Amino acid sequence: MDTDLILVLGLVFAVLSIPSMISAYSDDRSIRASAIVMLLSLGAMAYAIVTHPGGYTFDQIPEVFFGVVARFMP
């Protein structure tokens, strides 16, 4: 798996865990599962940034995101 894909998956899972955390908090349920997903996604993003040669900048993130999405579109 390349670092671009790992970064995009980390971003997607991080964004999806935020509404889950809010929903669990508002229903007085435990946010444990959502927090674990958030931590794993942050770890994936950190791994991708550290192992990518030269790292990523904020300007590159949209280009990387749409590049990965374009690879999987027919």
Side-chain angles (χ1 to χ4, degrees):
M1 220 193 283
D2 63 334
T3 57
D4 291 348
L5 182 60
I6 294 172
L7 178 69
V8 170
L9 287 176
L11 286 169
V12 168
F13 283 121
V15 168
L16 291 177
S17 70
I18 293 171
S20 176
M21 291 173 102
I22 293 170
S23 173
Y25 180 75
S26 67
D27 290 339
D28 289 329
R29 291 183 285 127
S30 173
I31 62 169
R32 192 174 305 127
S34 301
I36 290 170
V37 170
M38 177 64 83
L39 288 175
L40 289 174
S41 64
L42 290 175
M45 288 187 288
Y47 173 78
I49 290 170
V50 169
T51 59
H52 184 75
Y56 291 102
T57 63
F58 285 113
D59 297 337
Q60 292 176 324
I61 291 176
E63 181 181 324
V64 169
F65 184 83
F66 289 116
V68 169
V69 170
R71 277 193 279 174
F72 292 103
M73 297 296 279

